Amino acid sequence: MSEAVTAHRVDEFVAAISQPDAPAVFRDGLAAYAVDGLLPEVAVTVTHTDHVRLNLSEAQKHGLAVIPFGGGTHSGLGNVPTAYDIALSTVGLDRIIAHEPADMTVTVEAGVPLATLQAVLAHHGQFLPLDPPGGGGATVGGVLAANAQGALRHAFGTARDWLIGVKVVQADGTLVKSGGRVVKNVAGYDMGKLYVGSLGSLGVIVEATFKLAPLPAAVAAIGVTCPSPHAAAMLLFAAHDAGLALHAAELLSPAAGRAVLGDARWSALVRVAGRARAVERTLRELREIAGGLRATYDLRDPAQTARAWDDAFAPGALSLRVSVLPRSVAGAIEEMEAALGGAAALLSSTLGAGLIRARVRPESDAEAGMLVGAVRDIAQRHDGALVVEAAAPAVKRAIDVFGPARPDFAIMRRLKQALDPSRTLAPGRFAGGL
Amino acid sequence: MQSLERALGRERVISTPDELIAYEFDATIERGMPQAVVFPESTEQVAAAVRVAHRAGVPVIPRGAGTGLSGGAVAAAGGVVVALTRMKRVLKIDVVDRVAVVEPGVVNIDLSRAAAPYGLYYAPDPSSQRACTIGGNVAENAGGPHCLAMGTTTNHVLGLELVLADGEVIEVGGHSRDVAGYDLTGAFVGSEGTLAIATKIIVRLSRIPEATRTLLAIFDQIDDASGAVSAIIAAGMVPSALEMMDRNIIRAVEPVLRCGYPLDAEAVLLIEVDGLEEDTVEQAEAIDAICRRHGAREVRLAREAADRELLWAGRKSSISALGRLYPNYYVLDGVVPRTRLPDVLRQVYAVAGRYGLAVANVFHAGDGNLHPNLLFDEREPGVTAKVLDAGAEIMRLCVDAGGSITGEHGVGVEKRDFMAWLFSGDDLYAMSRLKTAFKAGEDFNPCKAFPTHAGCGEVTQAQVRRTAAAIGPDLYV
């Protein structure tokens, strides 16, 4: 499509959505909405679900591509979009619709910042156990769309395990929901699972209901420096097998150890949480296990280590996520350290989930491309997979950031075709270029 | 028929009326006679059977143990029932990674038994766990008493091998949650056998907790028991199970099982906490105090494993024990926000009273999942229609309280016409697009989970009413 034609369509779109009580349209300050170096023609900010509906139905009618935008903290995820005309900012959808503490559920609009939500919940002794690194400014909708997650994954799983209901605006402007507001519900297909991690490619999330967890009475953190990644993995497996009260259990590379614990050795970072007596016992047993492994046990300030880990693993210039079986983590992380060591790489693994994160500072796009290839080979050798969570556009263009298509890709392609036939929503960004 | 026998071998196909009669119904009131039932023993045989049916344009109905409580395995529009009970191998238990790979016909409790020597178990525990299959659990997203803390089936399934409606075999998900692309595994769990047939299931195993404490709290007022439930949750505790039984359940169970539920109590709560020894001691003490504060006249702690099992035996056989009180019972499955429990329970009794029916409540109070059982004698003229009407009203109460028409039994044939209370036409259409993605046409387990469409006339509610009058006493659940 020529630029003049696109500009004309954008003008028509802007005219169409410029109604009383309409979404606000911007043509400047677009750099804030850059995706992989691409700028939209316009940015639209909405304060009401009806605005989202109008925006999408008009965009579809005018053949324009829309990328929903939350806090932008994880906008590096995804393939380079094949078209990007409209940035649809959902941060104005910022109402907490219902929080009934005794039901342990909360319903929020998509633009509510995760941090704001956590503060409200904490007031009632509850939290949503999702803690994506660098997610301070993330919105609830963005966390869902990116399936963003942090160290709490160890004990609490991912967004899919906490989302119980969702409302989404589809590409044609139709508002649809699935699930509900109760913690147990099997009426209808569980469409919410599909939107988690879908990068807005199936619909724009406008409202979500979560079940919640109680905040622990006591929290402690320890760092255990170990002679090898294998020793650190043994410690974490032993703690896991003993059923100890762990909220997070990360295996850190030496560079990550330095950044987070101030000690440049392989280490385990454990967050212990629960009732006071369970926490005491867990700390005692971890010390015993560490002694057996000739590791150094070191009590830490939980808030400070959590912040340091968060800083270290916020999405960077090149962020990688490898998934292998837990048993393969020590071997895979050791090989990744060797392959990435020269590029100031920080590595951290949620061992129980078999997930290894790497934040890398490559000197050039060429080096980044090479490192991605090397890590993909390591992942494949361990029967695992690599997702490139952030990289320079030139690096991304050479690959599918989600890795090679899987056998079930045909179902995914048909799903995208069924729900967004006009390819209005984030075209090209999702796995396999959907 | 001959194509099925050619594809699978004669010994894996039945088609005479005498043989088929056992496959005409599941654990509900619904019925539907299939033309044939096949018993494949491998993925290839499932695919072959599905291909034959697909080519002939005949409905396919996947079936596990037939313990379903919403009619999901009933051949509502005839067709070929694919019974997966012969595919019952536990293919792999990976102790380090805490993962098991099973065939769909594995009985729920058999998986936990196979994992027990390694200190592991499979967490979802529907009350029918001694009979129901993992494949059926996946189809219905089955729950159970312990899903309050551990989550339902969907939280424990990692990947699947599926046979699609045209016989294509495809894998979704894998040994970990982190598989690129849309979460098709998550979308499949709870799809009530309408998208595909799972022929292999990869599940997460959990560690058997170090300590378990079980309490029985006895109440003279049912509202007090509901209040205690809310207070426990509000105090920041998530017990592993939090079950309520009302006086009618107690009166049915206690004389038979003698599990120590007082006959003069209005309600009992069965509460379990597990985890580290220290944690369970503290939680049990806190729960004891909360219950007493909310009017419990007595709180008992089961000291020995045998005591605990006895308390649970009462809970697990409570529905079947209802046969002592009335010849028939009809179990409902609704969900309300936990804070609405006292209010909705009162309304449930009121509705039953208005229809002149007795009702017994045994349910997962911790997550607001009600199971009112309407008690009746089907020999009484017109009573079946009353039961179905009262059931519908109670479902409506749950919806009006902000809840759902099913927490764990599924929509099936039974409640598809209530779906419009929860979802708009647009919502349902969006869901139907998932069928398109899975290539599951209208012949794939038809008449289930979504509002009636043409061709399902035989099993409308009106028909249910007519057939219900003809069904023997034990077929109601």
Side-chain angles (χ1 to χ4, degrees):
Chain A
M1 198 188 322
S2 81
E3 279 175 30
V5 173
T6 306
H8 178 62
R9 289 182 184 188
V10 170
D11 289 343
E12 282 187 343
F13 163 80
V14 169
I17 66 166
S18 297
Q19 302 172 0
D21 181 35
V25 183
F26 299 91
R27 290 183 186 259
D28 46 16
L30 297 176
Y33 300 104
V35 174
D36 296 323
L38 303 176
L39 296 185
E41 300 292 324
V42 292
V44 180
T45 61
V46 295
T47 54
H48 192 280
T49 295
D50 285 344
H51 296 164
V52 179
R53 303 183 60 184
L54 178 66
N55 185 311
L56 289 183
S57 64
E58 289 300 329
Q60 189 193 50
K61 207 179 293 169
H62 291 92
L64 298 171
V66 179
I67 294 184
F69 220 90
T73 56
H74 289 71
S75 59
L77 183 58
N79 290 308
V80 178
T82 51
Y84 183 19
D85 303 309
I86 302 162
L88 174 60
S89 168
T90 56
V91 296
L93 299 171
D94 59 359
R95 292 181 308 150
I96 292 179
I97 293 171
H99 175 221
E100 184 58 67
D103 287 333
M104 287 185 83
T105 57
V106 70
T107 300
V108 294
E109 287 190 322
V112 171
L114 182 63
T116 305
L117 175 62
Q118 300 288 29
V120 169
L121 298 174
H123 192 65
H124 299 277
Q126 300 177 350
F127 74 127
L128 175 63
L130 299 174
D131 63 340
T139 61
V140 166
V143 168
L144 288 172
N147 192 15
Q149 50 191 279
L152 285 174
R153 164 84 184 261
H154 169 82
F156 295 98
T158 58
R160 80 188 295 285
D161 296 306
W162 297 89
L163 182 70
I164 56 175
V166 65
K167 284 188 183 166
V168 162
V169 177
Q170 295 185 303
D172 63 358
T174 312
L175 176 70
V176 297
K177 71 162 181 171
S178 74
R181 291 191 185 181
V182 281
V183 296
K184 205 168 161 195
N185 186 1
V186 296
Y189 292 150
D190 190 354
M191 303 296 279
K193 296 283 190 294
L194 299 171
Y195 304 124
V196 172
S198 69
L199 287 181
S201 63
L202 297 177
V204 177
I205 298 166
V206 292
E207 187 187 301
T209 301
F210 298 96
K211 55 180 179 177
L212 302 170
L215 278 171
V219 181
I222 60 159
V224 186
T225 46
C226 298
S228 69
H230 301 276
M234 275 172 71
L235 173 111
L236 293 171
F237 273 126
H240 200 29
D241 285 346
L244 296 179
L246 310 184
H247 270 192
E250 292 284 317
L251 195 171
L252 305 180
S253 69
R258 184 170 50 227
V260 179
L261 300 168
D263 190 331
R265 283 179 285 176
W266 288 101
S267 50
L269 172 60
V270 178
R271 195 177 320 150
V272 181
R275 286 162 180 279
R277 274 140 77 182
V279 167
E280 273 167 41
R281 173 173 148 201
T282 298
L283 292 175
R284 194 171 61 239
E285 289 197 18
L286 283 170
R287 187 190 290 273
E288 284 162 18
I289 299 168
L293 291 166
R294 296 164 191 245
T296 315
Y297 170 103
D298 184 11
L299 206 56
R300 295 282 176 160
D301 173 358
Q304 191 272 326
T305 47
R307 266 197 309 275
W309 189 84
D310 194 274
D311 286 346
F313 290 97
L318 179 61
S319 292
L320 308 176
R321 193 174 79 191
V322 165
S323 173
V324 294
L325 287 174
R327 68 169 71 226
S328 304
V329 161
I333 201 170
E334 192 169 36
E335 289 174 36
M336 285 171 68
E337 165 74 5
L340 297 171
L346 307 180
L347 303 169
S348 186
S349 168
T350 309
L351 183 86
L355 187 152
I356 307 170
R357 297 161 199 276
R359 186 167 148 180
V360 191
R361 293 195 179 81
E363 308 247 313
S364 64
D365 289 352
E367 188 192 7
M370 217 181 59
L371 295 176
V372 167
V375 172
R376 181 152 284 156
D377 289 347
I378 293 167
Q380 280 168 358
R381 265 206 304 285
H382 290 276
D383 291 324
L386 163 70
V387 172
V388 178
E389 292 198 303
V395 176
K396 285 186 171 188
R397 283 204 171 87
I399 55 170
D400 186 318
V401 301
F402 295 99
R406 293 165 34 85
D408 54 355
F409 183 67
I411 300 178
M412 297 182 195
R413 201 181 49 223
R414 287 193 293 267
L415 184 65
K416 170 74 173 175
Q417 172 66 25
L419 290 175
D420 180 21
S422 54
R423 296 179 60 75
T424 301
L425 295 165
R429 261 188 120 191
F430 196 63
L434 291 181
Chain B
M1 199 60 53
Q2 280 161 1
S3 326
L4 283 175
E5 288 182 356
R6 259 201 311 280
L8 277 84
R10 189 170 288 181
E11 71 282 9
R12 298 189 187 90
V13 182
I14 59 173
S15 57
T16 67
D18 283 357
E19 296 168 311
L20 289 177
I21 200 152
Y23 294 88
E24 193 187 358
F25 43 83
D26 58 8
T28 54
I29 206 168
E30 320 292 346
R31 329 187 95 185
M33 188 62 92
Q35 275 91 55
V37 181
V38 296
F39 300 89
E41 289 167 39
S42 67
T43 301
E44 293 68 34
Q45 288 177 2
V46 173
V50 168
R51 264 195 302 273
V52 168
H54 184 63
R55 255 185 249 127
V58 172
V60 168
I61 304 94
R63 182 182 176 102
T67 56
L69 290 167
S70 58
V74 171
V80 177
V81 167
V82 179
L84 296 149
T85 40
R86 290 192 196 169
M87 291 179 69
K88 56 179 176 193
R89 288 178 302 165
V90 174
L91 299 171
K92 181 167 138 189
I93 290 183
D94 177 339
V95 178
V96 176
D97 300 313
R98 295 192 184 176
V99 163
V101 183
V102 301
E103 291 185 328
V106 169
V107 169
N108 177 295
I109 203 163
D110 289 345
L111 174 55
S112 284
R113 283 187 182 136
Y118 312 103
L120 299 172
Y121 76 115
Y122 176 63
D125 64 336
S127 293
S128 57
Q129 73 179 140
R130 283 165 200 284
C132 65
T133 62
I134 304 285
N137 294 171
V138 167
E140 302 296 335
N141 188 14
H146 287 88
C147 68
L148 175 57
M150 296 298 287
T152 57
T153 303
T154 192
N155 303 110
H156 300 270
V157 177
L158 299 171
L160 301 157
E161 176 188 79
L162 301 175
V163 173
L164 303 189
D166 61 359
E168 186 187 355
V169 179
I170 216 160
E171 284 173 22
V172 301
H175 280 70
S176 96
R177 282 255 177 272
D178 302 286
V179 162
Y182 301 127
D183 181 5
L184 298 176
T185 308
F188 183 85
V189 175
S191 60
E192 304 197 19
T194 60
L195 294 177
I197 298 178
T199 45
K200 261 185 213 134
I201 302 159
I202 307 172
V203 298
R204 217 156 57 87
L205 298 174
S206 305
R207 185 183 174 280
I208 297 172
E210 166 186 288
T212 303
R213 281 189 154 62
T214 308
L215 298 105
L216 185 75
I218 298 154
F219 292 86
D220 289 329
Q221 300 290 335
I222 196 155
D223 276 4
D224 288 345
S226 304
V229 170
S230 288
I232 290 167
I233 302 286
M237 279 180 285
V238 182
S240 53
L242 180 39
E243 303 281 303
M244 195 191 296
M245 286 168 272
D246 73 0
R247 64 182 297 179
N248 274 341
I249 294 288
I250 295 168
R251 286 175 179 189
V253 170
E254 184 57 24
V256 192
L257 286 160
R258 307 206 176 278
C259 30
Y261 306 163
L263 284 167
D264 63 340
E266 281 299 313
V268 295
L269 292 179
L270 183 59
I271 308 161
E272 192 158 277
V273 290
D274 62 27
L276 292 180
E277 174 69 22
E278 290 81 350
D279 235 354
T280 58
V281 170
E282 276 189 45
Q283 290 202 54
E285 283 166 4
I287 287 168
D288 183 303
I290 290 172
C291 288
R292 287 178 199 279
R293 214 162 42 239
H294 281 81
R297 75 172 195 222
E298 189 186 346
V299 182
R300 297 182 194 154
L301 175 68
R303 304 257 164 218
E304 310 288 331
D307 299 338
R308 211 168 66 222
E309 275 162 32
L310 193 57
L311 288 180
W312 274 108
R315 165 63 185 92
K316 287 191 172 164
S317 53
S318 53
I319 292 184
S320 54
L322 287 171
R324 276 177 42 80
L325 300 184
Y326 281 83
N328 312 108
Y329 45 93
Y330 180 55
V331 58
L332 302 167
D333 170 38
V335 194
V336 297
R338 298 177 252 236
T339 44
R340 298 296 305 278
L341 269 180
D343 173 35
V344 172
L345 265 180
R346 271 195 298 271
Q347 295 185 59
V348 166
Y349 290 112
V351 169
R354 206 158 3 93
Y355 283 91
L357 296 166
V359 61
N361 284 289
V362 49
F363 60 98
H364 313 303
D367 38 35
N369 188 184
L370 293 167
H371 291 315
N373 295 269
L374 295 171
L375 309 175
F376 61 106
D377 180 344
E378 53 95 21
R379 289 166 301 189
E380 183 190 318
V383 74
T384 319
K386 279 206 289 189
V387 165
L388 291 168
D389 287 347
E393 271 198 45
I394 289 170
M395 286 299 104
R396 184 71 213 196
L397 283 180
C398 294
V399 172
D400 290 344
S404 171
I405 56 171
T406 172
E408 54 185 11
H409 295 174
V411 173
V413 176
E414 185 193 31
K415 288 192 278 201
R416 64 208 157 117
D417 291 327
F418 304 159
M419 284 289 275
W421 293 345
L422 290 173
F423 297 110
S424 71
D426 286 339
D427 299 338
L428 296 170
Y429 181 71
M431 291 179 190
S432 78
R433 309 306 286 156
L434 198 52
K435 281 197 187 189
T436 309
F438 276 88
K439 297 189 287 186
E442 291 305 328
D443 283 336
F444 200 82
N445 206 4
C447 312
K448 310 289 166 65
F450 293 98
T452 313
H453 52 80
C456 300
E458 291 167 43
V459 282
T460 59
Q461 289 290 321
Q463 176 68 13
V464 168
R465 281 168 204 177
R466 263 178 274 124
T467 50
I471 301 174
D474 288 326
L475 292 180
Y476 298 103
V477 168

